[in-house]
Amino acid sequence: MLNEPRVYRHPPFQIVLAILVFGILAGVLLLSFNTEGASILLLPFGLIIVLLAIFSIYSLTGKTTISDDEISVQTILGTKSLRWSEISRVSGRGNGIKLHNFDGDVTVSPSPQLPGYEEIIEWIGTKRPDLFTPQEVAEMSRSWIVLLLIAMAVILIVGIASFSIIQTDQWFMSVFFVFIGAMILIVAISSPLAITVGGKSLLLKYIFSQRTLLADEIQSIELVSQRTRNGKTYHIRLNLPSGKGLRISSLRPSLPIVYLTLKNWHRKFS
């Protein structure tokens, strides 16, 4: 139970810093427009900066508020709220989750980039655990787009390796790209392509193999975040008693939905 509403937002200094950075860039562009012949060339860059500024301010000024009664998401476009009892279903894509009311005319979707997003997901699962059961989430698998990217990585590795044999003077660049492609392929192969829940067991399907885990063989399930240059990324970690962990990512319908479903399953059968 929450004694008072919890508010999740970006620190004010991030908003001030973003405005300052884009203000400096805008000033440099305006001064550059005075240069003869530069107006047409700089126009696309100016448009990109404006779009980035709008997107950044939109993202940084958003906030999510959670109370015992409801969840509310506020952006510069307005505020949407749903009482926990009004939520009829969930959907999502990637790292996001969207809550729908019974009429389907109101949706609430917290931003995955918010500080404390993992805690927001935990509260959603706590308030409405009935929405996250294997019966409600029939399919937990990677989309064909991810599989296509894996195939492209394999083709890239084979192609560059062949090129390195023919063009020996470019071997160092070939080795570099082969290394990058191999890392992408290893990460893709090491994560399950699909997960099937069957009673007290999980069936994890990989490209070349599959593995069955009992609920008692899993110590805990976590939603883990990492900060990258492109923002926060997330993955699910199945912690085993041996100290090792299994990484799960890029599964449909979305990572938070898969996480809460697996967590509820584990709580029931472990």
Side-chain angles (χ1 to χ4, degrees), residues 160-172:
I160 295 181
S162 301
F163 178 81
S164 64
I165 295 175
I166 299 173
Q167 302 288 338
T168 55
D169 58 326
Q170 299 292 331
W171 65 269
F172 57 96

Side-chain angles (χ1 to χ4, degrees), residues 16 23 29 36 41 43-44 55 62 76 89 109 172 192 207 213 217 227 235 238 241 255 262:
V16 174
L29 279 176
E36 185 177 353
L41 295 176
L43 189 60
F55 176 77
I76 57 177
R89 66 183 182 92
S109 183
F172 57 96
I207 294 181
L213 280 177
E217 295 177 320
R227 177 68 65 177
H235 67 270
L238 306 183
L255 204 64
L262 293 178

Side-chain angles (χ1 to χ4, degrees), residues 135-155:
Q135 292 75 25
E136 294 290 336
V137 186
E139 182 183 24
M140 292 183 284
S141 62
R142 294 196 187 188
S143 68
W144 65 269
I145 297 178
V146 176
L147 298 177
L148 179 61
L149 291 175
I150 295 175
M152 291 176 61
V154 173
I155 294 174

Side-chain angles (χ1 to χ4, degrees), residues 50 112 143 155 224 229:
V50 170
S143 68
I155 294 174
V224 181
R229 290 183 300 176

Side-chain angles (χ1 to χ4, degrees), residues 171-228:
W171 65 269
F172 57 96
M173 289 298 295
S174 299
V175 169
F176 172 76
F177 284 109
V178 167
F179 175 78
I180 297 297
M183 291 298 101
I184 295 174
L185 186 59
I186 290 173
V187 171
I189 292 177
S190 62
S191 187
L193 296 181
I195 296 178
T196 302
V197 179
K200 295 184 178 181
S201 65
L202 286 183
L203 178 62
L204 286 71
K205 299 179 181 179
Y206 298 86
I207 294 181
F208 303 112
S209 63
Q210 61 183 29
R211 177 179 182 180
T212 300
L213 280 177
L214 297 177
D216 291 337
E217 295 177 320
I218 301 173
Q219 192 172 46
S220 62
I221 301 178
E222 296 179 289
L223 180 63
V224 181
S225 66
Q226 291 178 317
R227 177 68 65 177
T228 68

